[in-house]
Amino acid sequence: MNALLALLIVFVLQGVGFAQSEPYRPQVHFSPREHWTNDPNGLVYFEGEYHLFYQYNPQGDVWGHMSWGHAVSKDLLHWQELPVALPEHGGEMIFTGSVVVDERNSSGLCAGGTPCMVAVYTGHHIIGGDSKRYTQDQNLAVSQDRGRTWSFYKGNPVLDLHMKEFRDPSVTWNEPRKAWLMAVALPDDHVVAMYSSPDLKKWEKISSFGPAGDVAGQWECPDLLKVPVEGSAESVWALKVGLNPGGLQGGSGEQYFIGTFDGTSFKRLPSQQENGWTDWGKDSYCAISYNHLPAGEKPVLLGWMSNWEYAAEVPTKPWRGQMTLPRRLSARLVEGKYVLVQQPVVEALHGAELKDASAAVATPVEYRVSLQPDKAGSAGVRVRYDATHWVDVGFDVKRGVMFVDRSHSSVPVAKGFAVRTEAKMLRSLPLDLDVIVDASSVEVFAQQGAIAMTNLVYPPSGQVALEPLGAEVKMRARGWTLRK
């Protein structure tokens, strides 16, 4: 009995020590056990598993030696980290790309003709050891065993324009043409080029989109997806494009365009000449959607939760980088225009409902809030960590903006971190908030999910409580602890 008790004490102390050494480790967001991560890659559903590949440095906690890390999940929430899928090799770093399920063995790469997984990725080749001299091209790798092991295609590259900046292929099945479709970025030209292929090997350019919208930085991580319109049997097409730098809030960010796609070209709807933003915060970038989802399932978007302004300076160890929560997408016609609506995949994690949202609880936690503004036109809540650290979330109705202010949230991080981020309000929608607080993040979905705003935080306390932002603000709030 004494020996058993001693063993239990050692186990508990080890667990406490691990938690204390990683105070910012997210509990309901994916992060790798160690080292650096950035863009999600190759999101695909296959044989009962959601796959998450991601940009990964197996050798350290800063960018470099880019390879594809790999994790799988049955529910998009609980992830099993697997060995590196696509390692840097032969002077080629493995940049962002897609994974498709080749059900028809159109590529001829699936053993025995059974469906296999094919990765289409950007190869980054440094010339003469000078990191400023490089080329980028598109390549294939194949897995016959549900993504556990991979082999590089001997005929690589499959698409090479002999350019320095040419990356991030988003590949899907193009039903109108009965062929594969690739949307790939020409970053310096602010163009997304569309290519078609019968077999994933031979690619023909069929159209291009851009420049359009914001062009202050390079275009990256394009994603063309069909999105169902709420309350109807119709759909619209959304083309999402990363922008770095030049994002709305500084650093990296993502815009989207709403339009039509006829199997050859994407065109904006006449009523949608203004671009939208998939996330109005500082810390959601290169979000991409899942391929090969079960029939009837809404599109699912997942992004990297950081910003290139300070990603290498965030105070986490032994890892840097994490992912947003997965978000199910739909489109809604609001005030004469379509907006993307995002609903976080989180409800399955609900634990006990909080009896009092103003009582301090340990993160992670979710709050759902309805607000009525005060006489000055303000309505919001304060997510309080302690007497000197908090995040304010709410609406300035007179100015017509929704905001998240993290300027008092964190230990010192980097220049440009302590900021207030803002989004345009939709005046026809209610003032509601869905606030998800993890160890180092606050994700907000406002106005029924029509606004998403993601921000990292690094508070000295892991306890939070919710209170109205102002004595006259009226709020109705429900809260739940979230189980890992």
Side-chain angles (χ1 to χ4, degrees), residues 145-361:
D145 59 358
R146 298 167 53 242
R148 269 55 180 181
T149 61
W150 292 81
S151 58
F152 293 100
Y153 175 50
K154 293 181 179 179
N156 284 336
V158 296
L159 181 57
D160 186 0
L161 303 185
H162 307 285
M163 293 181 66
K164 184 176 182 179
E165 306 287 353
F166 176 49
R167 59 179 175 269
D168 307 339
S170 173
V171 179
T172 55
W173 180 251
N174 185 358
E175 186 61 29
R177 295 178 71 102
K178 306 296 182 185
W180 297 102
L181 173 72
M182 178 193 294
V184 61
L186 301 175
D188 290 337
D189 297 333
H190 308 112
V191 164
V192 176
M194 306 291 181
Y195 286 82
S196 183
S197 173
D199 58 5
L200 296 169
K201 299 174 182 176
K202 299 182 293 292
W203 293 92
E204 171 193 10
K205 186 176 180 180
I206 56 175
S207 67
S208 62
F209 175 84
D214 283 69
V215 295
Q218 288 190 325
W219 279 19
E220 301 181 307
C221 304
D223 194 17
L224 178 65
L225 61 159
K226 191 177 183 180
V227 183
V229 176
E230 294 180 351
S232 78
E234 298 179 354
S235 298
V236 294
W237 286 84
L239 177 59
K240 182 209 66 66
V241 184
L243 186 68
N244 179 50
L248 179 70
Q249 310 290 359
S252 43
E254 290 198 303
Q255 60 186 328
Y256 69 85
F257 306 93
I258 297 291
T260 61
F261 180 70
D262 61 4
T264 299
S265 61
F266 172 83
K267 295 180 180 178
R268 282 190 284 181
L269 290 172
S271 62
Q272 302 281 155
Q273 294 305 300
E274 183 179 355
N275 60 297
W277 295 89
T278 53
D279 197 291
W280 296 75
K282 289 280 287 189
D283 298 308
S284 179
Y285 191 57
C286 275
I288 60 173
S289 60
Y290 265 86
N291 269 331
H292 203 247
L293 288 173
E297 189 167 342
K298 288 182 178 179
V300 176
L301 200 68
L302 183 73
W304 173 48
M305 191 188 288
S306 198
N307 190 303
W308 281 114
E309 277 189 335
Y310 44 71
E313 300 176 66
V314 297
T316 62
K317 60 180 183 179
W319 86 101
R320 276 203 180 102
Q322 62 193 64
M323 300 298 161
T324 67
L325 281 173
R327 303 162 181 194
R328 299 197 187 278
L329 296 185
S330 59
R332 183 183 303 166
L333 191 60
V334 181
E335 299 170 10
K337 295 182 179 180
Y338 288 105
V339 296
L340 289 184
V341 173
Q342 303 179 59
Q343 300 295 344
V345 178
V346 71
E347 195 156 329
L349 298 179
H350 279 188
E353 183 168 0
L354 304 179
K355 294 181 180 180
D356 181 2
S358 65
V361 295

Side-chain angles (χ1 to χ4, degrees), residues 68-88:
W68 276 21
H70 188 197
V72 293
S73 173
K74 298 289 186 182
D75 60 2
L76 288 168
L77 293 168
H78 299 89
W79 296 97
Q80 176 190 0
E81 189 172 351
L82 298 176
V84 170
L86 301 182
E88 174 191 33

